[in-house]
Amino acid sequence: MQKFIAMVGTNSTNSTNRKLLTYIQRHFADKAEIELMEIKDLPLFNKPEDRKVPAVVTEMANKIDAADGVIISTPEYDHSAPAALMNALEWLSFHITPFIDKPVMIVGASYGALGTSRAQEHLRQILDAPELRARIMPSSEYFLAHSLQAFDDDGNLVDEQNIKKLDGLFADFQIFVKISDQLKNAHGANYEEVRNLDWNK
């Protein structure tokens, strides 16, 4: 069975993005082992001179590295991904390399009608940065709009069309992960290149 990390892309205590990932974890329990990963307790990234990352970041990086893929659910604040998520990715690309060639699926829940479309586009750019180099599943946008009304009292999605699309995208992601596992010819070179990056030189 495939193992995925589901990263809650917000430090908000009450988030429909966390609710969406919890639903994904439960809904696909027979297809994959999915572990929720919180970012709300991370310190503010400060580029430490000794290049040491906090223990909580190391633990997160190890879990991502061991996973077959990562699902990130992002809110949208001011047409962008939230600062807390960018902070987490800054830590997870600071002289550590868990995202290199790691398959990533992006989803998002929003109170409004656009369903995090701009935030997801921004997040794709970040994950494609030289320090991260994640392998992002193409043409896979899942926008959960009007998310306050999207779940019932048990945390289940209520709209059949939303469920059907999520089912299809998750099945595609599982295939994408298998295909990505075969695309490792440049992985060693990518790893060395990222490890040797030094913007101060």
Side-chain angles (χ1 to χ4, degrees):
M1 183 177 285
Q2 291 172 322
K3 295 183 179 181
F4 298 146
I5 292 295
M7 182 180 289
V8 181
T10 177
N11 58 358
S12 173
T13 301
N14 297 312
S15 171
T16 52
N17 282 276
R18 183 180 293 104
K19 186 174 286 190
L20 175 58
L21 289 180
T22 301
Y23 172 79
I24 288 172
Q25 180 187 47
R26 183 174 63 252
H27 185 66
F28 298 113
D30 61 333
K31 295 179 173 62
E33 180 182 326
I34 302 173
E35 178 182 351
L36 261 63
M37 177 177 284
E38 297 283 356
I39 63 172
K40 58 185 178 180
D41 295 326
L42 291 180
L44 189 64
F45 179 72
N46 60 356
K47 197 178 180 181
E49 291 185 6
D50 61 6
R51 297 188 176 186
K52 290 184 179 179
V53 301
V56 62
V57 176
T58 301
E59 182 181 355
M60 290 170 65
N62 290 338
K63 287 184 177 183
I64 292 169
D65 191 57
D68 296 304
V70 178
I71 303 168
I72 302 177
S73 188
T74 180
E76 182 171 310
Y77 301 155
D78 300 326
H79 291 181
S80 182
L85 179 53
M86 288 186 274
N87 181 64
L89 294 175
E90 286 163 3
W91 276 121
L92 289 166
S93 59
F94 184 68
H95 301 289
I96 50 178
T97 56
F99 275 103
I100 293 180
D101 298 324
K102 183 67 61 176
V104 175
M105 175 180 174
I106 301 173
V107 300
S110 170
Y111 295 173
L114 295 179
T116 76
S117 59
R118 294 183 178 93
Q120 290 195 37
E121 181 180 3
H122 185 208
L123 184 55
R124 285 175 179 273
Q125 292 178 321
I126 294 171
L127 289 167
D128 198 37
E131 299 88 345
L132 282 156
R133 300 197 192 190
R135 185 168 284 141
I136 309 137
M137 187 166 107
S139 303
S140 60
E141 292 86 356
Y142 183 75
F143 307 135
L144 184 64
H146 304 296
S147 57
L148 286 175
Q149 295 81 40
F151 301 91
D152 64 19
D153 292 339
D154 296 319
N156 296 312
L157 288 173
V158 296
D159 184 77
E160 288 299 325
Q161 190 62 33
N162 280 334
I163 297 170
K164 183 178 180 180
K165 181 169 183 179
L166 185 59
D167 286 347
L169 287 175
F170 189 84
D172 285 347
F173 185 57
Q174 290 190 289
I175 296 171
F176 179 70
V177 168
K178 292 177 181 178
I179 293 172
S180 293
D181 194 49
Q182 301 176 47
L183 304 176
K184 293 294 181 69
N185 293 306
H187 181 74
N190 288 339
Y191 176 83
E192 288 301 321
E193 194 170 283
V194 174
R195 292 292 290 180
N196 292 328
L197 274 176
D198 190 343
W199 296 111
N200 294 322
K201 292 183 179 179

